[in-house]
Amino acid sequence: MRYGPQYGPDITFLGVDRCDWSDAASYSDADAVILGAPFDGGTSYRSGTRFGPQYIRQACYLPHDGSRPSLALRVDGLRDLRVYDAGDVEMFSGDAERSVRGLQAAVHAVTSAGALPLILGGDHTITWPDAAGVAQHAGQGRVSMIHFDAHADTGDIEFGSLIGHGQPMRRLIESGALRGDRFLQIGLRGYWPEPETLDWMARQGMRSYEMTEIGARGLEECLGEASGIAMDECDGVFLSVDVDVCDPGHAPGTGTPEPGGLTARQLLDSVRRIAYELPLLGMDVVEVSPPHDHAEITSFLANRVVLEALSGIARRRRDARDGTTWDRRQPLLDDRPGPG
Amino acid sequence: MRYGPQYGPDITFLGVDRCDWSDAASYSDADAVILGAPFDGGTSYRSGTRFGPQYIRQACYLPHDGSRPSLALRVDGLRDLRVYDAGDVEMFSGDAERSVRGLQAAVHAVTSAGALPLILGGDHTITWPDAAGVAQHAGQGRVSMIHFDAHADTGDIEFGSLIGHGQPMRRLIESGALRGDRFLQIGLRGYWPEPETLDWMARQGMRSYEMTEIGARGLEECLGEASGIAMDECDGVFLSVDVDVCDPGHAPGTGTPEPGGLTARQLLDSVRRIAYELPLLGMDVVEVSPPHDHAEITSFLANRVVLEALSGIARRRRDARDGTTWDRRQPLLDDRPGPG
Amino acid sequence: MRYGPQYGPDITFLGVDRCDWSDAASYSDADAVILGAPFDGGTSYRSGTRFGPQYIRQACYLPHDGSRPSLALRVDGLRDLRVYDAGDVEMFSGDAERSVRGLQAAVHAVTSAGALPLILGGDHTITWPDAAGVAQHAGQGRVSMIHFDAHADTGDIEFGSLIGHGQPMRRLIESGALRGDRFLQIGLRGYWPEPETLDWMARQGMRSYEMTEIGARGLEECLGEASGIAMDECDGVFLSVDVDVCDPGHAPGTGTPEPGGLTARQLLDSVRRIAYELPLLGMDVVEVSPPHDHAEITSFLANRVVLEALSGIARRRRDARDGTTWDRRQPLLDDRPGPG
Amino acid sequence: MRYGPQYGPDITFLGVDRCDWSDAASYSDADAVILGAPFDGGTSYRSGTRFGPQYIRQACYLPHDGSRPSLALRVDGLRDLRVYDAGDVEMFSGDAERSVRGLQAAVHAVTSAGALPLILGGDHTITWPDAAGVAQHAGQGRVSMIHFDAHADTGDIEFGSLIGHGQPMRRLIESGALRGDRFLQIGLRGYWPEPETLDWMARQGMRSYEMTEIGARGLEECLGEASGIAMDECDGVFLSVDVDVCDPGHAPGTGTPEPGGLTARQLLDSVRRIAYELPLLGMDVVEVSPPHDHAEITSFLANRVVLEALSGIARRRRDARDGTTWDRRQPLLDDRPGPG
Amino acid sequence: MRYGPQYGPDITFLGVDRCDWSDAASYSDADAVILGAPFDGGTSYRSGTRFGPQYIRQACYLPHDGSRPSLALRVDGLRDLRVYDAGDVEMFSGDAERSVRGLQAAVHAVTSAGALPLILGGDHTITWPDAAGVAQHAGQGRVSMIHFDAHADTGDIEFGSLIGHGQPMRRLIESGALRGDRFLQIGLRGYWPEPETLDWMARQGMRSYEMTEIGARGLEECLGEASGIAMDECDGVFLSVDVDVCDPGHAPGTGTPEPGGLTARQLLDSVRRIAYELPLLGMDVVEVSPPHDHAEITSFLANRVVLEALSGIARRRRDARDGTTWDRRQPLLDDRPGPG
Amino acid sequence: MRYGPQYGPDITFLGVDRCDWSDAASYSDADAVILGAPFDGGTSYRSGTRFGPQYIRQACYLPHDGSRPSLALRVDGLRDLRVYDAGDVEMFSGDAERSVRGLQAAVHAVTSAGALPLILGGDHTITWPDAAGVAQHAGQGRVSMIHFDAHADTGDIEFGSLIGHGQPMRRLIESGALRGDRFLQIGLRGYWPEPETLDWMARQGMRSYEMTEIGARGLEECLGEASGIAMDECDGVFLSVDVDVCDPGHAPGTGTPEPGGLTARQLLDSVRRIAYELPLLGMDVVEVSPPHDHAEITSFLANRVVLEALSGIARRRRDARDGTTWDRRQPLLDDRPGPG
């Protein structure tokens, strides 16, 4: 039985077909399954991310027709792939532990059914069950993590709890689900965490690209390096995108905004590139907090992050099949029959 | 050790003195102790009430000097009474059960120390520990409840949990902390709860004034009747004010707004009257959600609800001492030395 | 073929069942059919009402489960009646004439199928096709109009056009669809229209209750008088509710706000009373402009206006069947099995 | 030379004609002259009132054509009277003293030229020069004051200065410009001023209607009593309307909002009544702070306050001329040629 | 007869002189004439652009004195050129066809009078009449188009209409007004249009720079290439700037925001460069939707786009006259008399 | 006696210790003392900067614990330095002259006590007393100025006054406090001031980097050049950061936004670099106007500007002590004990 969306009407991501994550038959041909995780009980500051899934699903001015042909990649991520939306997994923000448990079960079910789980948060708490659910099927330590964020999210205990939006990465590594030395973080900055936690991170062999290094070396170079590490002795990548990796000017609708981040353009390009170049096994987009947004620009951005990933995967598959390569310098109309 | 405010700097309600609820000596002369309960994990829709305590504490254009002489009642609720602010009780919105337990301990401690606990929410989940903490000291069934709200908050299980902002009143009655037939609800309206829950309420002997009855009979008459019931075989009253009892036009910053409510004027007058006429044993003000507010008007209203209650208590004491009575028709400057 | 919603995902009003207005078989048992008219091309000032239907459909914090048991009326307007949502009628705001024509066809189809059409606007332009579509079936001059509004909407030509949100009432009377002397307007105020148009209105025998008269005589008395006129030689009533009849404090999200209007409480009570006392043949709710709203309070209000009408109709039918009468003074829990 | 508006383009109130206050010939036939006083240097909390004049001038959805026929009063306040807009008097918010001096000169000039000055604030600081400028011409002590406000504005020294928005009424009385015992205040409430200032007010013989008295006795009765006092041994009235007299739900865009105020409807009715019943000699509308407003509802309200006053004056003159009386119960279309 | 602004008072762009477009004598010495086109009937999603002209005209913190000396270009675009503002061309958003016809007539009149028409939208629908009006005078196919936009706007039929904001470029090419192979688009991105439309575009020989190509090659290089094409066998350029070419972080106040766009700085530099390097024959700035803006930042941006263009033209003329060249590396104060 | 914050509760910048600027003993060990200057009486357009100090003090999602370890610089600016917050200096926005005088006294006191004054504005008026107060101690002409701003702020007389937010730089140079030829301005753009003022600036030998030059040469190069000039024959630098140097997309909450500015990332990097490379003698952060902000992003940015400066100073001292150098390319976790 499909639970459906928790806050609002039963819609799907831009109109793709519905499925029930607990009934694999309802999505047996799926390439990707979208799950909502409307949870904000783990935030350490502003809440509101419980409305993330519904806003991300519909933040678009085009018809909700389950089709989005990418100008840049020349594929339709919603049509060239088979994408379903399983609705929300029931989250009770007042019970993080139960919520996390339920979400992991759903992600694991989707992964086991052979589909890529794409989870719409919710606060970053959910990346623990998201990536753990994938690793549960793909194998402990076989999945690397590429993590866009202003924050390392490697805290230990906060507000007396092991579960929260500042801690998922620690839980994933401690539990053995993911290897610390295949943990790539992009976009960190600011004044957290404190040295003790940085020491812990270093001991795990994590590789964290703070904005200063990114500024000095260039994002492209850092991404290339990270991709190399990610594919070393791992079978695929979990991509976790916290919208606060972007500058608050580009993503105001979030809970713990840290000035000085990426532009929206940089984030979209990076997600596209990773989805195109690396084998994704799972993905989440988190920390969209619509009550703090303006003109839905953060929801629009998160919607496009999802589409860039799906488009990148679709193009990756097409190029693999056809033996072609995507050329970023190719003019938009170049491969179409011209006026002549 | 004082925990201090959870979201923001360590301030107190309009500048009253600090105390530590766990150290009775720090407020031995208190008439009232303010506690913040920055919890929003129990909301069924919009969150954001975790910012309620900090906004209510400071939503005022006057100096934060611990003094507020009431024009209407001719007393200073913050000076004529001895009022402390104990800061926030640590709430983790992701763990309702633990949060609720911690809050009840704090309320009980304050009550046991002989002070009136005045809790700033947070979502309505907190009224369970608030009133239970008072009854724990005052005696099971010895405290009546006057409850301003658009909603009955008598749900049973929601999102798989017994704890949430739609259920506190049921928990209070089921646990025996409060008597169902001394439960007075003012301002209900809309489309919730469903008949089964209404049946349960009826069986408990609850008395719920829906807006239609209030419109037909007048608020004054309903309040008078409710006050009579409240004082029958009870020693005092717990007053719970959910700001959504007001019309969304007067209190937009809340999580589950229901059109057609009281005006701000009606709420202030009602709180003042209850505090003046009845012996209050505890009070909370809940469901202020600053992220959904505009120009802080809901926070300003909640701040004044607190002040009306404190002013009413102060005037009640003065009149009891002096054998006088408050006259609502008396001109503002009437009892002062005139020009002659 | 169902067109579905024009701006956003295909949802229905609070989760009621879908139908296709052009296929009567899809709603053969309907008591009421909801139609969206997302049009804002006729506004003389702020636009944005094109988003009205989608916001009104979902502005509620309760589950979208097609059920709304009214506390006040003790009926469930969405279950005791059979209510469908036909989605939007395609409106092109840049072509008022075509939009109006298409809408009238849809309303006429619904009416002809024996269901009450309930149209969600859109700007007030749509009341011309809405009421004309009803009269087309019920008979020219057989339908009276009760019209809540700050404005008379009886202009002649504006911006060179006969069609717009300031003119629908004139078109309805001129075309003979409705009788001028069975046209009841409630809540007018402000500085429009000019004397020539008022003269025209007087010549049609219209009866317009300006807020000054309402203030002096009382809304209840005015409504009673209007109801009497409405049922004189007419078979039923079309109810048109422009949210700007309310004060901007209660309904800021509208295009031409006029200070000094009704409270939300007054509007809800009035709609409920009319739906309970008079035979409704059609209804629309217009001028909700979400881009100018705050915290969706205007959309919430409009959603409740719809529910009050449906609840009133349901109770009217039940009382007619059972020979009972609704008592506004009855306590909420009074007719339920008590504690004994 | 006309200074013109200080913040924005050179517009006039709803399109009335321009004049230059320093050149009496430019408005020799004026009944009323509008002056902007874009000052916010005297506010004790939120600023932003410097944008008041420009917003009030244009907050209307009707054409800016210098005509506004009142439905309620059946006169056109902008056409039946001769109204000019002199633009802004240059205010420098960083120099209250100079600003106040310049404004008084302008008001005095207008009054001396035989026109009623109608000043758009700006914070309440300006009422000192506004009323003093009128009294300078009409005679010290010959002008009574009717003052709508949540606050008494009778402070002495604030921030080391005698000039500010909490002090104008004290300055007016101390300077002898106005008599303390012809000072009528409507709508006071809240927690300011402190007892010493109330004592001072009492000694001046001021009459202040706090909201509690207004609630208990009714606004109509209080207004009637106040009007009687105002016309005792005075030649006319200065009307000062601070929009914060209204509840923040009806007027959020203001600097020092105090919950529990009048409705917009009550304020409009009161201003209309005073302008109709009493001889106005001057008027100001103050404390509109557009940056804190939503959907311009406070600016719209202030715009209508101006129009109600002008309409009231126009009707007063017409009735005086024709020997007629305005009947509030008369239906809108009643005195027009009917269908027959 | 000057129609004047449609929504609000009769102001001009930053205070330049008024003219009447239908009376060439009123602007016989004009270099440029500003026209407002307050139309939003053609939008496929959010409306609100009808308020664009008035907001763009006044979104500036400097005095409205008809002067704006550019720091960067060392000319005053409003003084060195002779610029008039003809007010708005009457648009009825409910009748796209009539609106479009009227606008073309006005643009043609201005062009025929020898002035550059500079149209403030309004949604992008207006570019059809804008550019067609110019080509009507300059000659079919003699005007190239440089088009900044996130969207190609080459749709065929939408909502059953040939006219709308997604179709102007198709109409211009189909009608022969502009040549498809002199159509340069900068900033496209996202998921529209679908392949069939891209094929049509390719067949016309359009040259569209999607953001990926711009990112890979650099904006400067793309602009240079586009400029070369634009001047090949054409007499001049029409420049159409849709503010949604910028990232929503820089231009939130628009109807169909697409994340990942240009920065404001990039847009300003590009417009300046084009106006400086190429002969402009006409220009429009469209899709500013103030109701969706925050702090007017999108209106401010559009205002500066206009000024950059006018400044660029002025500097182009001066350099042509003086035989000088603008040097972007020159320090601001470099050509002024120094301390020595 | 500590005055404390003027608008709101008595808090300190992120929880650092309190002091009283007039009592040097209360901060005898201070490295830096924060002063609030809540003044907005000098703004030429939007006000609201009076709320700047309180918002900047608390715009952070981390605990207010007086510690902020910088990821980028590996120091804790609030712990490695001894930082106090002296609260606000009383500003009366209605009396710029008195406010300015009082502020200079406070800054001078702090400087004389050997601490770096760090002033939170307030509008830019305050830089006159800020820098003059520093020069009063450090010596006339011995302090250079690095000034980030969209505007030169070198106006002469505005609104009849020598004091305002467009004039501080002129006053500083005219008074001899600072040398004109050691005045470095970064980020200028737009259409102000007019040529006469630019001539004056040139005569003083000022060096102003307009955005065009910055774009053409690169910010890094310009900063390097400016730093060189700044340290020529001066003992240290006063750093004045007007947040409007950033693009409105990154800093909407300001009074006179000018499109086309720096990104937040660029500003943070620049401030960090200056604080690290040059000896700072004083600093202010001005023109944050919270009422015009969204989601507090401008306040967050200003808070981080302060932290970058303090972190830069701390790292500068550490490197000076240890003989080390900060390497921007060093990975975040590089100097910590790794997994091995």
Side-chain angles (χ1 to χ4, degrees), chain A:
Chain A
M1 195 208 67
R2 177 182 165 85
Y3 180 85
Q6 201 166 349
Y7 300 107
D10 189 358
I11 62 174
T12 65
F13 183 81
L14 298 177
V16 301
D17 288 334
R18 281 173 177 76
C19 74
D20 173 357
W21 64 262
S22 65
D23 172 18
S26 71
Y27 57 101
S28 55
D29 60 342
D31 291 304
V33 171
I34 290 168
L35 293 162
F39 181 78
D40 64 3
T43 49
S44 58
Y45 197 60
R46 293 178 188 154
S47 49
T49 51
R50 63 176 65 192
F51 288 107
Q54 284 297 73
Y55 274 75
I56 299 172
R57 281 183 175 110
Q58 61 185 299
C60 185
Y61 49 85
L62 296 168
H64 290 232
D65 57 2
S67 168
R68 286 296 180 274
S70 161
L71 293 188
L73 289 165
R74 295 165 169 78
V75 290
D76 187 327
L78 301 185
R79 290 245 164 112
D80 297 348
L81 302 181
R82 193 75 182 90
V83 181
Y84 291 85
D85 186 335
D88 291 345
V89 180
E90 192 191 51
M91 300 274 113
F92 177 52
S93 291
D95 190 342
E97 199 180 319
R98 181 156 56 85
S99 300
V100 154
R101 215 160 44 224
L103 181 55
Q104 181 166 341
V107 172
H108 181 242
V110 166
T111 309
S112 301
L116 175 132
L118 205 165
I119 304 99
L120 312 176
D123 70 50
H124 223 150
T125 302
I126 67 167
T127 297
W128 181 14
D130 291 347
V134 170
Q136 195 178 343
H137 178 77
Q140 301 283 94
R142 301 305 307 167
V143 184
S144 61
M145 167 68 81
I146 298 183
H147 169 209
F148 284 85
D149 204 334
H151 312 93
D153 291 357
T154 48
D156 190 0
I157 293 182
E158 294 187 347
F159 303 126
S161 173
L162 290 166
I163 312 176
H165 83 151
Q167 303 141 288
M169 306 315 170
R170 191 163 195 135
R171 296 293 95 81
L172 281 166
I173 294 171
E174 281 181 346
S175 67
L178 301 192
R179 290 172 59 167
D181 56 359
R182 292 300 175 276
F183 219 107
L184 293 313
Q185 302 190 304
I186 319 279
L188 303 195
R189 59 192 186 273
Y191 303 87
W192 187 89
E194 74 301 336
E196 293 68 31
T197 296
L198 294 173
D199 286 345
W200 180 89
M201 291 165 63
R203 284 196 302 274
Q204 312 310 313
M206 296 178 74
R207 183 66 174 90
S208 302
Y209 296 86
E210 204 263 349
M211 285 301 292
T212 312
E213 181 184 358
I214 294 172
R217 299 179 58 199
L219 177 58
E220 286 291 300
E221 180 182 321
C222 295
L223 272 181
E225 185 180 278
S227 294
I229 299 171
M231 290 315 296
D232 180 20
E233 289 181 44
C234 276
D235 303 321
V237 171
F238 189 95
L239 174 63
S240 185
V241 178
D242 183 329
V243 291
D244 71 21
V245 74
C246 283
D247 193 85
H250 294 271
T254 195
T256 49
E258 183 65 49
L262 301 179
T263 66
R265 184 71 259 153
Q266 286 180 305
L267 177 59
L268 294 172
D269 283 342
S270 300
V271 168
R272 182 195 288 172
R273 175 177 169 186
I274 289 167
Y276 178 67
E277 297 183 356
L278 301 176
L280 283 197
L281 299 181
M283 175 179 179
D284 56 20
V285 185
V286 302
E287 296 287 343
V288 173
S289 181
H292 298 277
D293 207 4
H294 173 68
E296 297 184 33
I297 69 175
T298 313
S299 296
F300 271 81
L301 175 58
N303 180 286
R304 265 40 181 161
V305 163
V306 172
L307 287 179
E308 287 293 353
L310 292 172
S311 305
I313 295 171
R315 178 71 193 239
R316 173 182 172 85
R317 294 195 183 180
R318 197 181 84 185
D319 280 357
R321 191 191 62 207
D322 301 351
T324 48
T325 310
W326 172 53
D327 172 12
R328 285 192 269 186
R329 298 173 62 92
Q330 186 185 35
L332 175 67
L333 302 171
D334 205 46
D335 53 353
R336 296 177 182 280

Side-chain angles (χ1 to χ4, degrees), chain E residues 127 130-132 134-135 138-148 169 172-173 176-185 205-207 225-240 274 277-284:
Chain E
T127 298
D130 291 346
V134 170
Q140 301 282 95
R142 301 305 305 167
V143 184
S144 60
M145 167 68 81
I146 299 184
H147 169 209
F148 284 84
M169 307 315 170
L172 281 166
I173 295 170
L178 301 191
R179 289 173 58 168
D181 57 358
R182 292 299 176 276
F183 218 107
L184 293 312
Q185 302 189 304
M206 296 177 74
R207 183 66 174 91
E225 185 179 280
S227 294
I229 300 172
M231 290 314 297
D232 178 21
E233 291 182 44
C234 276
D235 303 321
V237 172
F238 189 95
L239 174 62
S240 185
I274 289 168
E277 296 183 357
L278 302 176
L280 284 196
L281 298 181
M283 174 178 180
D284 56 21

Side-chain angles (χ1 to χ4, degrees), chain C residues 169-190:
Chain C
M169 307 315 168
R170 190 161 195 136
R171 296 292 96 81
L172 281 167
I173 294 170
E174 283 181 345
S175 68
L178 301 192
R179 291 172 57 167
D181 57 358
R182 293 298 176 274
F183 219 108
L184 293 312
Q185 301 189 306
I186 318 279
L188 303 194
R189 57 192 185 275

